[in-house]
Amino acid sequence: MKEAAVLLLLLAAEASSRSHGGWCEPGCDCRGDLKFAICSRAGFTRPPGRVPATTELLDLSDNHILTVPPRSFSSNRKLRVLLLQNNNISAVEDGGFSQLEFLQKLDLSWNRISALTEGFSIGLVVLRELQLAHNRLTGLDSRSFLHLDGLQRLNLTGNGIHTIQVRAFAPMSSLRQLHLENNRLTALRSGIFSMLRSLEVLNLAGNRIAETEMGVFKPLTSMTLLNLADNQMSAVYFKTFLSIHTYSTHILLEGNPWNCDCDLQRVFRKLRSIQRLFLDDYFNLTCQKPPVLRSYLLMDVDTELCIAETVTVLIITITVVITVLAAMVMGERKRKKRKKGRSGGVCWTGQVTGIHE
Ligand SMILES: *[C@@H]1O[C@H](CO)[C@@H](O)[C@H](O)[C@H]1NC(C)=O
Ligand SMILES: *[C@@H]1O[C@H](CO)[C@@H](O)[C@H](O)[C@H]1NC(C)=O
Ligand SMILES: *[C@@H]1O[C@H](CO)[C@@H](O)[C@H](O)[C@H]1NC(C)=O
């Protein structure tokens, strides 16, 4: 009887400590059977130590955390979601997330991270989603995402990325969405997307891409959406897009300074006839060059400029053909004349032979 009362008392104490967050770092709110720890806007400058081991979602957004030291979350191995957006993180030290073998989503957007070291991704074996938008990344190399082979969604929007080494994305063969909008890419070298066989969405809008190498999109055999809007492309190779071997892909190309010469128009005419490619914003494409066509819609100049060119080409072709034909006819006549002369000679020789016989 006495023991039961003690037990009851203990349980009551536990319940009250839960409801008042006694197991929880001050500033955090631990709820939902201690599966959620909400610690946002609490002024933390480092990851808090006292978060229940049962926590599956830890929200540390809107604090002032500066770095993520090694094994920062070693007592929270059950975490599935870790939110660290809107802090002041400039470095994730090697192994900062190393114990989080169940973590599925990590949000590090709106921080000041300028480099991803090899140790950054150690231990994140089942991570599905990584948000890194609005940081200070400038380059990606083969170590940046080394241990993220389960990643499906990567958001790198709004960094200053201008170089991507050929093997940077290679470890992420399960990746489905890659968001690279609003960075500083100027060219797409073939090979940078070579291992992304599962990639469905590739968003490259708002960069400074002027050049796309012909084979660069070829490995992306699952791609359904390619967004190249708001870049610096004035021309494209037909083969760059022809090499996309998918079932169906939507391509966005608005907001580029197109040079609407006849080459470009030919390329687009051919592209639009490819059944599996959908140029969704074709009717919105505007010309920047040549100067007379500035801010015209590409589809409007379609008939004006190039028909004129076609007519010119046709006239030149016809002129050349006529000249050649005339020359041939003249040549034939001359040959016949000469032949006539010569055939008389043969006749004569024949007669001579005849005489001999
Ligand atoms: C972030 O850190 C820098 C120095 O590392 C400091 O100057 C700045 O005030 C901090 N910003 C916030 C919002 O804490
Ligand atoms: C990428 O991050 C930005 C900024 O946080 C956000 O607005 C956008 O919705 C994100 N995109 C995806 C697909 O997660
Ligand atoms: C074309 O531009 C208009 C006006 O900017 C916009 O409303 C529309 O969504 C665009 N169409 C496509 C297919 O992007």
Side-chain angles (χ1 to χ4, degrees), residues 107 109-110 129 131 133-134 153 155-157 177 179 181:
D107 195 335
S109 46
W110 298 100
E129 178 178 339
Q131 297 285 345
H134 301 286
R153 186 192 289 199
N155 191 347
L156 292 162
T157 300
Q177 294 195 13
H179 295 271
E181 53 264 43

Side-chain angles (χ1 to χ4, degrees), residues 328-346:
M328 278 168 69
V329 168
M330 298 288 278
E332 185 70 4
R333 268 192 200 158
K334 269 187 194 161
R335 208 171 62 83
K336 269 188 186 159
K337 257 187 203 166
R338 246 184 264 133
K339 200 176 175 185
K340 237 184 200 169
R342 235 186 289 145
S343 68
V346 170

Side-chain angles (χ1 to χ4, degrees), residues 238-259:
F238 177 58
K239 282 185 181 164
T240 302
F241 295 113
L242 182 68
S243 71
I244 299 175
H245 291 294
T246 55
Y247 179 64
S248 98
T249 300
H250 294 259
I251 302 175
L252 298 174
L253 294 164
E254 235 182 301
N256 280 282
W258 296 112
N259 176 12

